[in-house]
């Protein structure tokens, strides 16, 4: 549940880089997602047509502030998105490093503070840093979106232990793995670790068959969640036989 909204799918899908509008439509449908993200930077001469695709999907729109590098720029973009899309949901990105696209922690917290006070329901793109997560929660964020790896890298979950620690540190805060997911197995692993959802874009949009890949991710997320709720067996340092030795026949 995110800001009081119950969703049926734990997969959130981005809408950039698809080879055609038709493929985007089909990928959204195949993913089964309830939430699609969109940047104001996609707006242009064909903006109305693009928004129609979003409207036809029946999904909740999660606008984002992709490409913003200062708190002021992100705040302005968020307010424009609220007016354009008619939603208080905003995926907050404030980029601090050009190569890794890692968020600027100071600008991120400042922008989140202003937007939360302004009535936004903020989904901050952050790292697995626990102190940064605490600061974001303190200013009003009720969801955290730690990266799996740098945006568009396809590296998967690069700091598994850090993400495990974050999940344990914020047991009551919805956590969404955002960025870096490259394969359905990455998404399944995130869900097995107890994360609440996965947000991805490039792994689907740039696949040879985006529609089939969207369907694959939908199944991976569902399987990972089922595995988590069923209870994964603990890892052991030594082998343990699955067949008990007691009661076995003795051959003399």
């Amino acid at each position: 549940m995110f800001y009081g909204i119950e969703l049926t799918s734990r997969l959130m899908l981005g809408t950039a880089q698809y080879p055609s509008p038709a493929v985007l439509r089909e990928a959204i449908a195949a993913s089964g997602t309830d939430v699609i993200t969109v940047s104001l930077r996609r707006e242009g001469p064909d903006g109305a047509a693009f928004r129609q695709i979003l409207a036809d999907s029946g999904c909740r729109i999660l606008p984002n502030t992709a490409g913003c590098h200062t708190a002021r720029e992100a705040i302005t973009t968020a307010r424009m998105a609220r007016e354009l899309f008619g939603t208080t949901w905003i995926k907050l990105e404030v980029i601090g490093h050009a190569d890794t696209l890692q968020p600027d922690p100071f600008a991120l917290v400042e922008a989140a503070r202003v937007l939360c006070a302004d009535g936004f329901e903020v989904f901050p793109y952050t790292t697995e840093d626990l102190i940064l997560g605490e600061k974001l929660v303190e200013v009003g964020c009720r969801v955290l979106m730690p990266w799996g790896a740098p945006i568009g890298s396809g590296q998967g979950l690069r700091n598994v232990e850090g993400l495990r620690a974050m999940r344990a540190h914020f047991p009551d805060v919805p956590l969404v793995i955002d960025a870096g997911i490259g394969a359905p197995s990455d998404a399944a692993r995130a869900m097995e670790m107890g994360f609440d959802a996965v947000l991805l874009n490039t792994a689907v949009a740039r696949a040879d068959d985006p529609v089939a890949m969207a369907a694959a991710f939908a199944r991976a997320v569902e399987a990972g969640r089922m595995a988590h709720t069923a209870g994964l067996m603990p890892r052991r340092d030594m082998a343990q036989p699955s067949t008990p030795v007691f009661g076995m026949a003795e051959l003399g």
Side-chain angles (χ1 to χ4, degrees):
M1 182 176 292
F2 302 99
Y3 291 103
I5 302 298
E6 189 76 39
L7 303 175
T8 60
S9 171
R10 294 177 182 272
L11 175 61
M12 300 179 179
L13 193 65
T15 56
Q17 304 184 53
Y18 287 82
S20 72
V23 171
L24 171 58
R25 286 181 187 272
E26 292 180 34
I28 292 173
S31 73
T33 186
D34 294 324
V35 178
I36 49 180
T37 65
V38 60
S39 168
L40 253 65
R41 296 172 187 271
R42 289 294 310 279
E43 293 300 310
D46 61 344
F50 177 66
R51 289 198 299 275
Q52 189 60 50
I53 293 176
L54 305 184
D56 291 345
S57 72
C59 296
R60 178 175 287 270
I61 305 300
L62 177 59
N64 67 52
T65 62
C68 293
H69 291 264
T70 67
R72 181 178 179 179
E73 186 180 10
I75 292 165
T76 300
T77 301
R79 287 171 174 163
M80 292 172 61
R82 177 170 60 182
E83 181 176 345
L84 181 62
F85 294 106
T87 179
T88 55
W89 278 23
I90 190 73
K91 180 190 169 189
L92 179 61
E93 297 182 27
V94 187
I95 301 302
H97 192 274
D99 292 332
T100 64
L101 301 182
Q102 180 173 331
D104 179 331
F106 306 102
L108 180 65
V109 172
E110 174 59 18
R113 181 187 64 78
V114 172
L115 292 174
C116 288
D118 194 24
F120 282 88
E121 294 168 313
V122 178
F123 293 69
Y125 164 62
T126 181
T127 66
E128 65 275 27
D129 185 280
L130 302 183
I131 303 304
L132 176 54
E134 287 180 350
K135 296 297 183 184
L136 290 166
V137 171
E138 285 174 8
V139 299
C141 297
R142 291 163 54 192
V143 177
L144 297 174
M145 303 184 80
W147 64 352
I151 294 172
S153 69
Q155 295 178 17
L157 308 183
R158 199 164 65 168
N159 182 4
V160 171
E161 293 310 312
L163 291 170
R164 288 189 193 280
M166 190 173 198
R167 177 69 283 179
H169 192 73
F170 296 100
D172 301 320
V173 177
L175 300 181
V176 181
I177 294 293
D178 175 22
I181 295 293
S185 55
D186 299 329
R189 189 177 192 189
M191 301 306 296
E192 289 171 357
M193 290 166 58
F195 284 85
D196 296 278
V198 169
L199 192 157
L200 55 95
N201 188 161
T202 308
V204 169
R206 306 305 293 174
D208 291 340
D209 186 340
V211 178
M213 188 62 76
F217 271 104
R219 295 173 184 176
V221 167
E222 183 178 354
R225 180 63 182 180
M226 289 179 66
H228 173 71
T229 57
L232 295 167
M233 67 170 288
R235 292 189 176 186
R236 303 185 179 96
D237 293 331
M238 300 292 290
Q240 180 173 315
S242 57
T243 302
V245 296
F246 295 107
M248 295 182 65
E250 294 185 12
L251 303 177

